[in-house]
Amino acid sequence: MFIEYLEEILENEKKAMGEYRFNCPFCGEEKAKFYVQSDEPFLWHCKHCDQSGNPIKFIMKYNSVGFDEAKEILKDFGYDVDNISSSNFDNSFSSELTDSEKMILAIKHRHDSKSDAESDSAIELNPINPPYNVKLLPHNMNNPEALPYLDYLHKRGITDDEIYRYNIGYTPLSSVTTKEGKNVMIHTSIVFFTFDDSGRMIYWNTRSIDKNAFIKSFNAPAGKDEYSKDTSIFNLNNAKKTGSIIITEGVFNAITVGISGVATFGKQVTEHQINLLKDVYEENNDTKFVVFLDNDAYEQKERLGKELSNFSDNVYIVSNPYKEKDANDIGRKEAQRLVSEARKYSYKNSLLAMFGV
Ligand SMILES: [Zn+2]
């Protein structure tokens, strides 16, 4: 295919959402500004020199050949121009872009051209694959196999409405390969999905319903260009619409505190995650941020408060008097009461809290 040909001849390949990127062969830039669609009709566009075209135009330019010869070259690696033109496009597949092709490119690059300069060094992340053999509880509410999972969730205070809202999954048995190449078996587990703003699943983690499970919870392993527990936040897509974000460590806590609850997959909130929260602030300056990390995450709580207060003065910290218990342990009603009584973050209060005053 056309992409395989490009992979052979171009450098600095990067995979992005629905696109491949390379160094542009025409202007010689070296930051992979040459974008190519990963599917037909494989339109390409260099954001550095602004040249664009379809595969035919690419071959003509790159190999300095005419239209007919370019067509033959494309045919050699299984790309039949005549077929493509009739099935995919309203206009003849010439070396120039048709109006609809130009429009596709324009739409595709409309939102990212603005932030182009700052996103130069940012890696574009891909969603990770779901584990195999996962079923969605909303599709299996009457399936006897799903009963133990539903039962477990109900016992932890999760309602059927929430099972639908978060599209919670389960797997009797699955396995994944870690970055180190090890196989990890996942037994009788709930599977939680993290979605992006467009509702696309980008990350998942699991929780075993078996008390004696060797692996109780498992965060999906991610490659370096994939979403990970450090670069995604559970339920941020829903919570941001509510005008407040309640930041917890784990998915059960996030669901317990309600639709504004998000989970960071641990007490160490990463810079990337803080930037995601900052994006929410930038979309809506009135967003209220409530830090509800577990009690053992004492310093992390104050530090996160400080980081958030760098851009927002609407930051609150929950103090939880139930020492060993997290939001899910203390139950919905009490957890929500603590949220409503959260203290406003200030540097001074934070110092006092640190010294236990
Ligand atoms: Zn270029």
Side-chain angles (χ1 to χ4, degrees):
M1 287 306 275
F2 184 57
I3 291 289
E4 281 148 21
Y5 177 64
L6 295 183
E7 284 180 314
E8 260 174 50
I9 58 172
L10 301 184
E11 286 177 3
N12 198 9
E13 176 181 346
K14 291 182 168 41
K15 263 176 122 170
M17 282 174 282
E19 295 176 320
Y20 282 76
R21 294 170 53 188
F22 302 93
N23 289 347
C24 176
F26 303 124
C27 68
E29 61 80 33
E30 289 182 340
K31 283 182 173 170
K33 293 282 174 190
F34 183 84
Y35 287 70
V36 189
Q37 295 177 311
S38 56
D39 293 298
E40 282 168 7
F42 303 111
L43 304 181
W44 52 270
H45 175 223
C46 173
K47 287 210 218 169
H48 187 250
C49 63
D50 208 32
Q51 297 189 67
S52 61
N54 52 31
I56 276 278
K57 184 170 171 192
F58 180 89
I59 300 289
M60 286 171 69
K61 274 180 77 74
Y62 188 80
N63 297 298
S64 310
V65 296
F67 183 78
D68 289 334
E69 207 175 329
K71 228 167 101 171
E72 285 308 305
I73 292 173
L74 281 169
K75 231 180 206 160
D76 280 350
F77 41 84
Y79 189 88
D80 192 336
V81 172
D82 293 326
N83 251 334
I84 305 287
S85 58
S86 55
S87 60
N88 271 313
F89 274 94
D90 46 359
N91 244 314
S92 69
F93 204 77
S94 73
S95 66
E96 292 308 315
L97 290 184
T98 63
D99 287 345
S100 57
E101 287 171 328
K102 279 179 196 152
M103 204 165 76
I104 290 173
L105 278 178
I107 291 168
K108 211 156 172 39
H109 293 294
R110 190 175 46 194
H111 41 257
D112 49 15
S113 57
K114 236 189 307 165
S115 59
D116 206 32
E118 50 197 274
S119 69
D120 254 7
S121 57
I123 317 156
E124 283 172 63
L125 297 171
N126 297 307
I128 62 168
N129 291 322
Y132 77 88
N133 195 28
V134 174
K135 299 172 199 177
L136 295 176
L137 284 169
H139 299 167
N140 288 275
M141 296 304 266
N142 297 314
N143 181 349
E145 181 192 63
L147 276 178
Y149 302 92
L150 292 168
D151 195 40
Y152 178 89
L153 288 168
H154 293 157
K155 282 197 175 118
R156 294 198 65 171
I158 312 243
T159 65
D160 285 347
D161 279 352
E162 288 164 337
I163 289 167
Y164 282 96
R165 177 194 294 160
Y166 300 102
N167 213 357
I168 299 173
Y170 71 97
T171 180
L173 179 64
S174 185
S175 91
V176 285
T177 309
T178 65
K179 273 177 278 180
E180 294 76 31
K182 263 191 265 169
N183 254 337
V184 178
M185 304 293 277
I186 301 170
H187 297 270
T188 46
S189 293
I190 308 276
V191 182
F192 294 108
F193 300 105
T194 295
F195 301 93
D196 69 7
D197 286 348
S198 60
R200 189 177 53 148
M201 192 281 287
I202 54 174
Y203 190 68
W204 55 268
N205 64 299
T206 70
R207 170 72 206 199
S208 171
I209 65 168
D210 174 0
K211 271 199 289 267
N212 303 313
F214 182 60
I215 296 177
K216 277 209 165 54
S217 36
F218 184 73
N219 293 318
K224 78 175 188 331
D225 58 353
E226 290 173 328
Y227 283 98
S228 70
K229 71 181 182 64
D230 295 333
T231 53
S232 49
I233 297 180
F234 173 79
N235 196 44
L236 190 61
N237 58 315
N238 289 320
K240 70 199 297 185
K241 297 180 204 148
T242 69
S244 85
I245 308 273
I246 306 167
I247 303 156
T248 72
E249 292 179 30
V251 169
F252 279 102
N253 294 330
I255 298 177
T256 299
V257 299
I259 182 72
S260 300
V262 302
T264 56
F265 307 109
K267 51 185 100 289
Q268 300 293 351
V269 180
T270 66
E271 207 185 314
H272 193 113
Q273 289 170 324
I274 288 170
N275 283 332
L276 294 176
L277 295 170
K278 195 176 172 188
D279 290 345
V280 173
Y281 167 80
E282 271 155 17
E283 283 166 38
N284 174 8
N285 290 180
D286 294 328
T287 305
K288 178 175 176 179
F289 295 93
V290 183
V291 178
F292 196 166
L293 301 183
D294 293 353
N295 272 335
D296 59 343
Y298 180 86
E299 270 173 57
Q300 287 90 346
K301 233 163 37 174
E302 299 303 327
R303 199 182 310 144
L304 179 58
K306 186 163 190 303
E307 298 265 14
L308 296 170
S309 70
N310 284 339
F311 53 83
S312 164
D313 51 15
N314 210 359
V315 179
Y316 293 78
I317 312 274
V318 170
S319 45
N320 171 1
Y322 305 92
K323 288 297 166 223
E324 306 279 294
K325 293 181 172 179
D326 64 25
N328 187 244
D329 297 326
I330 63 181
R332 173 154 303 172
K333 227 176 136 191
E334 189 61 1
Q336 290 178 346
R337 188 183 69 81
L338 295 181
V339 167
S340 70
E341 291 179 356
R343 75 175 152 87
K344 189 152 188 178
Y345 176 88
S346 77
Y347 187 60
K348 190 179 134 215
N349 285 343
S350 171
L351 284 179
L352 293 176
M354 290 249 230
F355 291 107
V357 182

